Amino acid sequence: MGSSTIPVLWVTGAPGAGKSTSGWGLFTRISGQGGSVAYVDIDQLGLIGPPPGGGAASHEIKAANLLRVIAVLRQRGVQQVIVSGVVDPELGVEPFFAGSAEAAHIDLALVRLHCDREELRSRFLGRGSPAGMLGELFEVVDRIDRAAIGTPLDTTGHRPDDTVDALMGHCVVRPGPVQPLAPAGDGLPPMPVVVVTGATAVGKSTAAWSVLRDLWQSGAPTAYIDLDQLGFVHPGPDPVLQAAELAALWRGYRQAGAQSLILVTREPDADLMGALAEELVTVVRLDADAAALEDRIRRRADGESALLAGDELRAAPPEVQSRVAVRAAAEAERLRSSGEPRMVLDTTGQSPQETSAALLDMLRPALGIPERDPR
């Protein structure tokens, strides 16, 4: 395996404190300087529901999955891991790492971002959060401040680069050789896995997330993985590492009680399908014509989607939108002509709600969901 310990910087704080912006800024700074680094959004490691995936069990599931993912990154030779996201406001992370063999290989720095109330209010509202949640936000801030978890960093008056500058002292910038990964079989019985594919901006994540929420509401224990969110590593892209992280995270979700998985990816490759070789896999490709893709790219640029790390389209200028639209149309055409035997859902002319409903109907047999009552 890689080095005996791996430096992990976890950037935490209240909603709006700048965790994700700072974490992504660190990842791009270190990778730009040639360092071996991976970035993990902790929220992406806890997408399982209904409970036990939510509520009090959520932090425990995320921490256990983080240890699994870090074990893979360390084996691959990654030299620095950046994590962003909330921790348990009373317990922090140490109780969830206690007794873990992998935790002994982690050199953890937990930094808590904070700023004065007026600036936090401005940041919170500036990212589109409702004013009606300000009271709840400040209650969370009070709980975090009382617990005093992590090393505090006051970011009042900071630009994003200022916060990254202040956090770089907790990181290492060094290259590292990419190491081979050992296979990790688990011998578990096969479970249903739905892989939702399609070109950039076709609406994969929106439709798949809506299906997931429907499954949660029906009580079906289901996990969700956006493969792109497991791909933030330098040097990269690294499809072998990505597939290994997928396998590790899916094992964690299964241990937490998941009985099916919805996986979103642009185009499944051999490494990904190999990681799912023992599962009951159904692949659905969403399609749309060039005009529909161009319109959805414009909407993404205008903010009509969830903001995720690495989103190249959020607030993108027209020239970038045009370039991505050309690429997306080429991706869609390549996927159409691939000859792969998979289910296809043409979403041209559909609203997101119509696409989600059609996708759910298409997936009912694979997931064992009864047909809707036509009455």
Side-chain angles (χ1 to χ4, degrees), residues 232-311:
F232 302 129
V233 63
H234 182 269
D238 188 340
V240 172
L241 173 62
Q242 202 173 32
E245 289 181 278
L246 163 65
L249 183 53
W250 176 221
R251 286 195 300 274
Y253 282 142
R254 291 193 61 168
Q255 183 171 322
Q259 295 179 12
S260 61
L261 169 66
I262 296 179
L263 173 67
V264 175
T265 182
R266 186 176 306 163
E267 186 173 4
D269 59 21
D271 294 303
L272 181 150
M273 297 308 288
L276 300 174
E278 303 301 317
E279 309 297 346
L280 306 174
V281 179
T282 301
V283 181
V284 179
R285 176 171 60 83
L286 303 191
D287 197 7
D289 64 23
L293 291 173
E294 185 175 7
D295 179 66
R296 292 169 194 177
I297 286 168
R298 178 185 59 78
R299 292 175 181 273
R300 276 261 299 272
D302 290 342
E304 294 185 20
S305 63
L307 179 58
L308 296 173
D311 189 345

Side-chain angles (χ1 to χ4, degrees), residues 18 42 63 79 118 313 320 363:
I42 196 66
Q79 299 295 302
E118 190 54 41
L313 287 172
V320 173
L363 294 177

